[in-house]
């Protein structure tokens, strides 16, 4: 790992990710857990996260883009990798070559995969996707059933699974999710009546997994909850802990005077003789300018306001009420310090977005440092 010269980083606890996986695995009983590690494992780091989860016994992984799947293969990971993102025909030959599973949402892509499989003398591994209500992609149930015999007999295709995707499970229990599951079940029953072996059946995302045990089928696809992101609308039936924190340090402290303005635009005016600390993180790191006047940080176990304009590389904290505050003190932007905690959900709420997006804004030049990263963790 490259040295960290600037005292700003994301700390990822791989042991917590493993424990979340184990708790989910126990909860779903005999169903497989497909660990969704898209978007650089939701910002945790793809290769260390897959290494940790594989070490915990996870056998199935899903990514969103071809490059994520190819990165895993290039790193030597030979296990099950499923690309759940859009169908990209130019990648089909590489999927076949590298034994990468792919979601198939339409007949054109299926025929292309079949041709690629035949050309290489192999079979493309496919999870057929059925459209049940999300409206993004997938076979219409009637069309799929009408041609199922043909689809499942193509010589260059190995059907390893069938899936669909919930649209509103994150919003809690609702009739629409129930109807989606019913539509999917009708397709599964019709295929069973034809004597067709469909492989693993899966429809539940993270929220569906927590809310609907009867819908777990053969596998569940979980992403957010692996890392401790749990929708606020759901009272989780299992223990899930946050696996990350965003940290920095105070680089300077100065005494400001009543009435003094500072920062770009001079948007903050001291209402007292304020003690102001500077922290080396800014909007170029993902700490958005939209947080101006809304957010807080933790210093010495106390919640302190972020004041003034968010700079490209720095922010200001009002630390007047923090005893003995000094240069080098730890600053928590997301995470726990003493009895106080700032959660990703809180930051997301400040700018009307999700916890996942709020955390994933912290990328680019902010390094990931792995806690509990021994030989049992983080290696493919």
């Amino acid at each position: 790992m490259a040295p960290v010269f600037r005292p700003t980083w994301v700390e990822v606890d791989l042991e917590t990710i493993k424990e979340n996986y184990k708790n989910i695995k126990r909860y779903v009983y005999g169903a497989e857990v497909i660990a969704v590690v898209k978007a650089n494992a939701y910002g945790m780091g793809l290769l260390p996260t897959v290494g940790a989860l594989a070490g915990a016994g996870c056998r199935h992984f899903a990514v969103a883009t071809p490059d994520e799947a190819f990165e895993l293969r290039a790193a030597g990971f030979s296990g099950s990798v499923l690309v759940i993102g859009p169908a990209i025909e130019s990648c089909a030959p590489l999927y076949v070559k590298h034994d990468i599973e792919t979601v198939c949402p339409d007949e054109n892509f299926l025929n292309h995969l079949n041709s690629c499989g035949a050309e290489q003398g192999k079979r493309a591994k496919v999870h057929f996707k059925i459209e049940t209500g999300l409206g993004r992609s997938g076979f219409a149930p009637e069309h799929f059933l009408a041609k199922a015999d043909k689809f499942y007999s193509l010589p260059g295709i190995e059907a390893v699974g069938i899936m669909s995707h919930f649209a509103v499970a994150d919003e809690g229990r609702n009739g629409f999710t129930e109807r989606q599951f019913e539509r999917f079940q009708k397709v599964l029953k019709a295929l069973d009546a034809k004597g067709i072996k469909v492989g693993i059946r899966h429809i539940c995302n993270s929220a569906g997994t927590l809310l609907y045990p009867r819908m777990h089928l053969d596998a569940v696809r979980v992403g957010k909850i692996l890392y401790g992101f749990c929708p606020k609308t759901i009272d989780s039936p299992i223990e899930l802990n946050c696996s990350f924190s965003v940290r920095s340090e105070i680089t300077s402290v100065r005494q400001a005077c009543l009435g003094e303005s500072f920062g770009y635009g001079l948007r903050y005016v001291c209402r007292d003789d304020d003690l102001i600390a500077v922290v080396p993180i800014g909007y170029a790191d993902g700490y958005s300018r939209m947080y101006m006047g809304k957010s807080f940080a933790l210093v010495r176990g106390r919640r302190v306001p972020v004041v003034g304009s968010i700079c490209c590389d720095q922010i200001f904290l009002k630390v007047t009420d923090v005893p003995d505050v000094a240069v080098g003190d730890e600053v928590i932007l997301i995470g726990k310090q003493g009895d106080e905690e700032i959660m990703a959900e809180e930051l997301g709420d400040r700018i009307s977005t999700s916890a996942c997006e709020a955390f994933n804004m912290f990328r680019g030049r902010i390094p990931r440092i792995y806690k509990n990263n021994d030989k049992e963790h983080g290696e493919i």
Side-chain angles (χ1 to χ4, degrees):
M1 180 179 294
V4 177
F5 297 107
R6 182 179 60 146
T8 298
W9 70 97
V10 171
E11 184 175 278
V12 179
D13 190 337
L14 296 172
E15 189 63 34
T16 295
I17 295 174
K18 289 174 64 175
E19 287 304 312
N20 287 342
Y21 165 77
K22 291 174 183 177
N23 289 341
I24 295 164
K25 182 66 176 172
R26 283 190 288 267
Y27 177 66
V28 299
Y29 300 108
E32 292 286 350
V33 172
I34 301 173
V36 181
V37 291
K38 66 181 182 179
N40 200 29
Y42 285 73
M44 307 300 153
L46 178 64
L47 299 183
T49 300
V50 170
L53 288 169
C58 185
R59 301 188 300 159
H60 299 272
F61 295 87
V63 296
T65 63
D67 54 294
E68 294 169 333
F70 300 147
E71 182 180 353
L72 284 172
R73 287 292 187 253
F77 181 71
S78 59
S80 171
V81 178
L82 168 64
V83 178
I84 57 176
I88 301 174
E89 288 193 3
S90 62
C91 293
L94 292 172
Y95 290 159
V96 176
K97 178 180 178 180
H98 296 293
D99 196 33
I100 293 168
E101 301 167 29
T102 183
V103 168
C104 182
D106 59 63
E107 194 167 355
N108 287 337
F109 190 50
L110 177 63
N111 289 333
H112 191 64
L113 287 166
N114 180 54
S115 296
C116 292
E119 288 169 5
Q120 296 185 38
K122 299 174 69 175
R123 300 172 73 193
K125 292 184 176 181
V126 165
H127 293 242
F128 288 111
K129 185 174 184 181
I130 308 301
E131 165 53 35
T132 60
L134 180 60
R136 191 164 63 186
S137 62
F139 288 92
E142 300 78 11
H143 172 70
F144 187 79
L145 290 174
K147 295 193 172 184
D149 291 320
K150 173 188 173 183
F151 293 164
Y152 282 93
S153 62
L154 291 171
I157 296 295
E158 179 183 353
V160 295
I162 187 168
M163 62 172 290
S164 191
H165 200 306
F166 288 141
V168 292
D170 279 4
E171 298 176 18
R173 292 182 178 274
N174 60 84
F176 192 81
T177 298
E178 297 277 355
R179 289 191 292 276
Q180 280 193 267
F181 185 69
E182 290 169 7
R183 292 178 194 130
F184 190 52
Q185 282 286 74
K186 286 180 181 178
V187 173
L188 297 179
K189 289 177 182 177
L191 293 172
D192 186 60
K194 289 174 174 284
I196 293 175
K197 303 299 182 184
V198 298
I200 61 171
R201 306 162 301 159
H202 50 110
I203 190 172
C204 282
N205 57 3
S206 287
T209 298
L210 296 178
L211 286 172
Y212 297 103
R214 69 182 181 87
M215 300 181 187
H216 290 167
L217 300 176
D218 301 314
V220 297
R221 302 186 305 272
V222 295
K224 292 186 292 186
I225 60 176
L226 277 172
Y227 315 109
F229 297 108
C230 189
K232 292 180 292 185
T233 53
I234 297 174
D235 184 14
S236 177
I238 57 177
E239 182 179 354
L240 298 167
N241 294 305
C242 183
S243 62
F244 58 88
S245 59
V246 180
R247 298 167 177 263
S248 191
E249 293 178 3
I250 292 175
T251 53
S252 70
V253 180
R254 73 178 185 88
Q255 185 71 59
C257 300
L258 172 67
E260 181 180 348
S261 300
F262 59 84
Y264 290 121
L266 303 178
R267 290 185 173 87
Y268 182 76
V269 180
C270 295
R271 299 179 181 178
D272 207 334
D273 292 338
D274 290 335
L275 199 60
I276 302 298
V278 176
V279 179
I281 189 171
Y283 63 75
D285 304 298
Y287 202 81
S288 172
R289 295 187 75 182
M290 293 186 288
Y291 290 128
M292 185 177 70
K294 302 175 183 177
S295 58
F296 295 83
L298 302 180
V299 177
R300 296 199 173 206
R302 297 196 179 202
R303 180 175 285 248
V304 298
V306 178
V307 296
S309 298
I310 309 296
C311 306
C312 181
D313 314 297
Q314 299 174 88
I315 60 173
F316 302 98
L317 306 180
K318 179 182 174 182
V319 293
T320 311
D321 297 326
V322 181
D324 301 319
V325 64
V327 170
D329 281 354
E330 178 188 66
V331 176
I332 299 294
L333 287 308
I334 298 179
K336 192 170 185 178
Q337 190 184 64
D339 294 329
E340 285 282 355
E341 184 173 13
I342 295 174
M343 302 180 70
E345 288 82 356
E346 177 181 331
L347 275 189
D349 286 344
R350 301 289 183 194
I351 56 174
S352 301
T353 189
S354 68
C356 280
E357 182 177 0
F359 174 71
N360 271 279
M361 291 165 69
F362 294 102
R363 53 190 171 194
R365 64 186 183 180
I366 296 189
R368 268 54 178 164
I369 295 178
Y370 295 94
K371 185 179 179 182
N372 298 316
N373 190 21
D374 55 27
K375 290 185 178 180
E376 190 180 347
H377 304 92
E379 294 185 355
I380 298 297

